[in-house]
Amino acid sequence: MRSYDEYCALAKSLDVVGDRWTLLIVRELELRGACRYTDLRNGLPGIATNLLADRLRELEREGLVAREEAPPPIATTLFRLTERGAELRPVLESLVRWGMPLMTEDNTGDAVRSHWLAWAIELLLIDRRPDAAPVTLELRTGEQPIVLETRDGKLVTRLGPAGEAGADVTIAGEPRPVMGLLLGMLTVPEAAAIGVSYTGDPAILERIGPDAAMVSA
Amino acid sequence: MRSYDEYCALAKSLDVVGDRWTLLIVRELELRGACRYTDLRNGLPGIATNLLADRLRELEREGLVAREEAPPPIATTLFRLTERGAELRPVLESLVRWGMPLMTEDNTGDAVRSHWLAWAIELLLIDRRPDAAPVTLELRTGEQPIVLETRDGKLVTRLGPAGEAGADVTIAGEPRPVMGLLLGMLTVPEAAAIGVSYTGDPAILERIGPDAAMVSA
DNA sequence: CAGCATCCGCTTTGATACTG
DNA sequence: CAGTATCAAAGCGGATGCTG
C-alpha cells in the first residue's frame, strides 16, 4: 500500500495493515495459530492466490508474520504471527465489536466459518446467571459444530462436536437466525419458523445474551 | 469497496470502513468535530478531491456521517459524525496505540498536523507524579503550538499558544525529535544536537512518559 | 497436492483541470 | 466553497500454469 505520508500513528498503522485482506489474514493467524498456506486460503474465501502470497511477503517484511519450516513428518511451511503481529488483537476486537450490529443484516451468499462465529460469541456474549449450574450448548451451523460452555459468567467455545455427555441445548440451522437466537433478537418460535431447530430447555437461552457494555463500545 | 462476503463481524466492519482514506476521514471528524469540506481536505493532505467526495457520500449512506447546512451567517455545508460513526473511536484508538512505535522511524516528508500529535499525546503519555504541582508544557512543532497540562496523572492538550502565565517548559523543533523527547527516547542534549530547543526545568520532562500499559496494547 | 508466479481485464485511486 | 470531469497509473480478481 502506498503510504499516506502523515506523521500520525493512525496513518502509520494503516500504512502497514490498511491493505485489502491484510487484517483478515491476521484474523486467521490469531484464531487458528500457525497455518499452512492452504489453511489460510480456506479461511479467506475469495482471495486471489497471488494476493495472499503478496500479503504474506509484506507481513513478513514488516515483522508481523514469520515463516517456519515444519520438521520432516509434516514437511510444510507454516505461517505464524510474531509478537508484534499478535499485538493487533485489540484492533481486531474493537472492529468486531463495532461490526456486530451488521451481522443481523442480509447475508445471503456470505461464506461462513465456525471459528469466526465462535470468536464473536466469546467476545460479545455473557452468561447472566454465573452462579447457576454450568450449561453446555451445541451449535450446528457453519462447517463444523461449536460447543459453548458457561464459565465464570463468560462463555468459552470449542470447535467440534460436544463430548460424551452431550449438550443441554442443541441449535441447528442457518448462521444468521442461530446468531439471532443467541443475541436475543429472535425467539425460539420465530427461529423455528425459518428453519432453526432447538432441542433442550428454552429457559437456558435466557441466560445467554449480549454484554451490553461489549457491543459496539 | 467490494464486500468480502464473509459472515464475520470483522469482515463486515471492513466492508464499511476498510476503504483507503475512510478511517482517516473519521479521524478528522472525531478530532475536530463538524467540519467543512475544505477543513477535511486540509486534514487529509494528498487525498484526491473526488475521492473525498465519494467517501463522504458512502459514509453518509452507511449512516456514519451526516451533512448539515449551517444557517445564513456561515452558510456552508458541515459534515459531522453520527453516533454510530463516533462509536468507531475505540477502533481508532487501538490503531493509534499499535502504530505508536512506528512514529520513531524515518518520516522525512510526512505531513504534520498538530491535532494528530495532541491526540497521540493524550492517549499515550501520563504524568508520573500526579501529586506534584501541575505543570504546563508548550510544544512548538507542526502548524500551531500545543499546550500540555498535567491533570490527575494524565495529560490534557489544547491547541494554540499558552495563555498569560506562559508554560513551564517550551520545546521547539521538528516533530519526530520533539515526540522522541516526550516518549523518553531522546535526552535533552541529544535532541538539542538535532535542532530541538528546550527551555525550562529539564526535570519536568522526567515526569512525563509513555504509559507502559498503553503503548501497543 | 502445497505454494506460489504470470497474464489479463476490470476497478479503484491519484493528479489535475474545471464549474456553479 | 464544494464539489465534477477526465484520464493515466496502480491495485485487484480470476484463471491458469509451473515446480517441488
Side-chain angles (χ1 to χ4, degrees):
Chain A
M1 157 169 289
R2 183 171 165 165
S3 170
Y4 288 107
D5 290 333
E6 292 184 357
Y7 192 63
C8 163
L10 174 65
K12 290 297 173 203
S13 285
L14 293 175
D15 281 347
V16 177
V17 300
D19 263 320
R20 187 161 168 80
W21 291 108
T22 299
L23 281 179
L24 297 185
I25 294 171
V26 174
R27 170 196 72 190
E28 288 303 301
L29 293 170
E30 288 272 5
L31 296 185
R32 318 222 291 200
C35 280
R36 292 174 304 170
Y37 190 88
T38 312
D39 301 328
L40 287 171
R41 238 180 11 181
N42 174 267
L44 299 161
I47 196 172
T49 174
N50 56 346
L51 266 189
L52 177 54
D54 279 359
R55 293 289 183 270
L56 286 170
R57 254 192 305 272
E58 288 165 32
L59 287 168
E60 213 182 336
R61 192 169 49 82
E62 300 282 357
L64 279 69
V65 161
R67 166 184 317 238
E68 63 188 39
E69 300 299 327
I74 317 177
T76 184
T77 311
L78 289 179
F79 299 89
R80 67 162 63 249
L81 288 177
T82 61
E83 194 175 330
R84 174 74 177 151
E87 284 170 356
L88 281 167
R89 187 169 273 262
V91 171
L92 300 184
E93 293 189 350
S94 62
L95 280 162
V96 165
R97 294 189 209 292
W98 189 83
M100 207 53 206
L102 305 170
M103 295 291 276
T104 60
E105 300 176 358
D106 180 50
N107 67 92
T108 46
D110 280 2
V112 179
R113 295 293 181 275
S114 298
H115 61 286
W116 304 339
L117 303 179
W119 183 35
I121 288 165
E122 288 204 350
L123 272 181
L124 301 165
L125 298 182
I126 56 170
D127 174 17
R128 298 217 185 80
R129 295 236 217 80
D131 297 326
V135 291
T136 300
L137 298 85
E138 181 173 349
L139 308 184
R140 295 199 183 137
T141 191
E143 88 286 4
Q144 60 182 313
I146 304 169
V147 177
L148 294 178
E149 285 169 3
T150 58
R151 188 170 309 169
D152 300 328
K154 303 184 171 190
L155 287 173
V156 296
T157 63
R158 185 161 46 76
L159 299 183
E164 320 280 300
D168 301 297
V169 167
T170 301
I171 312 178
E174 288 301 305
R176 191 155 58 119
V178 170
M179 290 299 280
L181 269 178
L182 292 176
L183 291 167
M185 308 190 62
L186 287 178
T187 64
V188 173
E190 282 166 352
I194 48 178
V196 173
S197 81
Y198 185 105
T199 66
D201 181 0
I204 287 179
L205 201 57
E206 313 276 312
R207 289 175 63 165
I208 311 297
D211 183 348
M214 284 306 210
V215 179
S216 182
Chain B
M1 158 170 288
R2 186 172 162 161
S3 171
Y4 288 108
D5 290 333
E6 293 185 355
Y7 192 61
C8 163
L10 174 65
K12 292 297 174 204
S13 284
L14 293 175
D15 281 348
V16 177
V17 299
D19 263 317
R20 186 159 169 80
W21 292 107
T22 299
L23 281 179
L24 297 186
I25 294 171
V26 175
R27 172 197 68 192
E28 288 304 303
L29 293 170
E30 288 272 5
L31 296 185
R32 316 222 292 199
C35 279
R36 293 174 303 171
Y37 190 87
T38 313
D39 300 329
L40 286 171
R41 239 182 6 183
N42 174 267
L44 299 162
I47 195 172
T49 174
N50 57 347
L51 263 189
L52 177 54
D54 279 1
R55 293 289 183 271
L56 286 171
R57 258 192 301 271
E58 288 166 31
L59 286 168
E60 211 181 338
R61 191 169 50 83
E62 300 283 357
L64 279 68
V65 162
R67 166 184 320 235
E68 62 188 41
E69 300 300 327
I74 317 181
T76 185
T77 312
L78 288 179
F79 299 88
R80 68 162 61 252
L81 288 177
T82 62
E83 193 175 332
R84 175 72 176 150
E87 284 170 356
L88 280 168
R89 188 169 271 264
V91 171
L92 299 185
E93 294 189 349
S94 63
L95 280 162
V96 165
R97 294 187 207 294
W98 190 82
M100 206 52 207
L102 306 171
M103 296 290 275
T104 60
E105 300 175 359
D106 180 51
N107 66 93
T108 46
D110 280 3
V112 179
R113 294 293 181 274
S114 297
H115 62 285
W116 305 339
L117 303 180
W119 183 37
I121 287 166
E122 287 205 350
L123 271 181
L124 300 165
L125 297 182
I126 55 169
D127 174 17
R128 297 217 185 80
R129 295 234 221 83
D131 298 326
V135 292
T136 301
L137 297 86
E138 181 174 348
L139 308 184
R140 296 199 182 136
T141 191
E143 88 286 4
Q144 60 182 313
I146 304 169
V147 177
L148 292 178
E149 285 168 3
T150 57
R151 190 171 307 170
D152 300 330
K154 301 183 172 191
L155 287 174
V156 296
T157 64
R158 184 161 48 75
L159 299 184
E164 319 283 300
D168 300 298
V169 167
T170 301
I171 312 178
E174 288 301 305
R176 190 156 57 118
V178 170
M179 291 299 281
L181 269 178
L182 292 175
L183 291 167
M185 308 189 64
L186 288 178
T187 63
V188 173
E190 281 166 352
I194 48 180
V196 173
S197 81
Y198 185 104
T199 67
D201 181 359
I204 288 179
L205 202 57
E206 313 276 311
R207 286 174 67 163
I208 312 298
D211 183 348
M214 284 304 212
V215 179
S216 181

